Amino acid sequence: MSELAEAVLRAAGRISEVDTAYDAELLLSTLLGGVYQVLPPDRGPALDAFVETLREHLSTHDEPNATLVAAVLDGHPAPSPPWAAALGTVRATGGYAFGDRYGDQTSYVATFEYADPELGGPEHAIVVLADHNLGLARDLLVLAPAAPVLQQLRDSALTDPDGMTWLAEVPLSTVRTAANAYLRATDTASEPPATESLPANRSLALARLALLPEAAEQPEPDAGAAGRELMGEFLASPEASLSGLSGLGGPRGESVNYCLGLIVDFATGRGGDPLRWSPQSVVTFLTEWVHQRAVLDNVDAATLPGTLGAWVVWAGRRLDLPDHAVQGTFAQVNAERDEFARLYATGERRSPAAEAMARLVAEGVDLTDDDAVDAWLRTYNAEHG
């Protein structure tokens, strides 16, 4: 790690020659992003550990460059060059959220300014693009000046002919909570998103997000109760009745409820809204997520696509989405039926955990017998090491 810290210090050798504190912070963030890219999951804590090593390494150097890099790293003003006096003088000026009514993505935006723009640099925006289907940050941008960025977002929302795009001013604490959550999820992804901007801007973005107020602690909502309430409302709806999903008992009724639980869990587990479905979320759910997270039997496999189709029509009506948007999502459910059935039959996208559970159920192990389950799992793990 000390050799890597020395490499970062050498790469920052001309940091004193940049024009503003903003440029210096971007330069150092980009260098730390190069380290982030090569780290294995969990990258966040690993990079934090490297930053501590870098701090220690810088403290052993007396030359001005090391002192300046340390000041930029920690956001502390330094005596020279002139722009270094602006370090640590940034303040937040606004928080926003921009997204689509499908609920696929939300961009969380915070704007910032330096006390002295001539030394510090321009007002700038941190934009964290959260992908609710993937459950992580797809991109991370630092854009300056901020005003044209916000105007572009406003224009996009105002000129969307279908009204499917929205922009809202939100509390800064909301931006901090949401953006940090999606960036944290990205740290643990098996591969970081294929974009240079996310790792390059991550360190600067986190430093800015840390300036925002924390949200007041709220009691955790009972997601299970809320999901069950939605499921009950759906089963009482015309869409459920017309699809033959209402008032069922026995294995078929149990399967409908199980499938509805999966539908709700998919959205809420990714920070989304169970009512917001799009063609892309349908693809992700039917061809990836459900095979990796759930154990289905033949009845469930036959029930799930039809249940999802009725749900997306009902949910679209609840959200007052345009007819073409609802029909497009419903059509995608039908388009994915064959691929869903194929993946269910082959099991090729089952995660190891889902595969083990499927085998456990198939072999008739009593799931209420903890000793029997533990014994089976020990044998299974030994065989599949």
Side-chain angles (χ1 to χ4, degrees):
M1 280 290 194
S2 60
E3 292 180 358
L4 187 54
E6 179 60 28
V8 170
L9 177 56
R10 286 198 305 271
R14 304 185 68 176
I15 196 169
S16 63
E17 300 176 18
V18 303
D19 295 329
T20 64
Y22 175 75
D23 295 324
E25 290 180 286
L26 277 176
L27 172 60
L28 186 56
S29 184
T30 299
L31 295 176
L32 293 176
V35 178
Y36 178 86
Q37 277 186 297
V38 301
L39 293 171
D42 188 353
R43 298 174 197 85
L47 186 62
D48 291 343
F50 170 75
V51 169
E52 286 304 312
T53 298
L54 179 60
R55 284 193 179 97
E56 294 173 7
H57 186 76
L58 293 171
S59 69
T60 65
H61 290 64
D62 295 330
E63 65 267 24
N65 188 62
T67 301
L68 182 57
V69 171
V72 175
L73 181 65
D74 292 325
H76 294 157
S80 65
W83 56 256
L87 293 169
T89 67
V90 173
R91 72 176 188 90
T93 56
Y96 308 85
F98 173 80
D100 63 89
R101 291 178 65 194
Y102 274 136
D104 282 336
Q105 298 179 340
T106 303
S107 290
Y108 296 98
V109 184
T111 55
F112 300 86
E113 68 179 6
Y114 290 89
D116 183 344
E118 288 190 12
L119 296 179
E123 185 181 22
H124 49 283
I126 303 293
V127 183
V128 179
L129 175 58
D131 188 311
H132 299 301
N133 296 320
L134 298 176
L136 48 75
R138 171 167 282 189
D139 207 351
L140 171 56
L141 304 173
V142 180
L143 302 172
V149 175
L150 293 176
Q151 189 59 51
Q152 183 178 0
L153 297 180
R154 291 190 187 98
D155 290 344
S156 295
L158 289 173
T159 60
D160 183 346
D162 296 324
M164 291 292 290
T165 308
W166 56 270
L167 173 69
E169 191 165 358
V170 298
L172 290 169
S173 58
T174 298
V175 176
R176 173 174 178 156
T177 299
N180 276 332
Y182 282 97
L183 289 172
R184 179 75 185 91
T186 307
D187 291 343
T188 62
S190 57
E191 294 289 341
T195 169
E196 294 181 358
S197 53
L198 190 146
N201 295 325
R202 179 183 177 278
S203 293
L204 176 56
L206 289 178
R208 292 293 188 266
L209 292 171
L211 300 175
L212 304 183
E214 294 189 47
E217 286 196 21
Q218 300 286 343
E220 285 291 327
D222 188 342
R228 289 189 294 275
E229 182 176 350
L230 273 180
M231 290 161 57
E233 292 175 12
F234 166 75
L235 289 173
S237 71
E239 289 82 359
S241 179
L242 289 170
S243 300
L245 301 173
S246 299
L248 297 174
R252 169 76 167 151
E254 292 176 2
S255 181
V256 168
N257 279 286
Y258 178 59
C259 291
L260 288 173
L262 294 175
I263 289 167
V264 170
D265 287 348
F266 167 76
T268 56
R270 282 166 156 63
D273 181 341
L275 296 178
R276 297 192 182 277
W277 285 80
S278 69
Q280 181 56 55
S281 63
V282 165
V283 173
T284 302
F285 177 72
L286 288 177
T287 67
E288 296 179 22
W289 187 90
V290 76
H291 304 284
Q292 297 165 358
R293 303 294 183 90
V295 177
L296 307 175
D297 61 21
N298 291 338
V299 176
D300 300 329
T303 301
L304 183 58
T307 303
L308 178 61
W311 179 276
V312 301
V313 174
W314 170 75
R317 176 172 62 81
R318 283 280 301 267
L319 296 175
D320 197 27
L321 293 183
D323 287 345
H324 75 85
V326 177
Q327 291 305 314
T329 305
F330 178 77
Q332 194 66 51
V333 175
N334 289 329
E336 300 303 325
R337 282 176 181 269
D338 289 346
E339 180 63 3
F340 166 76
R342 187 188 71 81
L343 291 170
Y344 167 70
T346 64
E348 63 191 68
R349 289 194 179 164
R350 280 182 185 163
S351 65
E355 177 65 27
M357 182 59 71
R359 290 274 301 276
L360 183 71
V361 172
E363 293 180 17
V365 178
D366 183 358
L367 299 182
T368 65
D369 186 337
D370 292 341
D371 291 337
V373 171
D374 287 342
W376 186 92
L377 286 174
R378 284 195 297 272
T379 302
Y380 181 85
N381 289 332
E383 293 174 352
H384 295 81

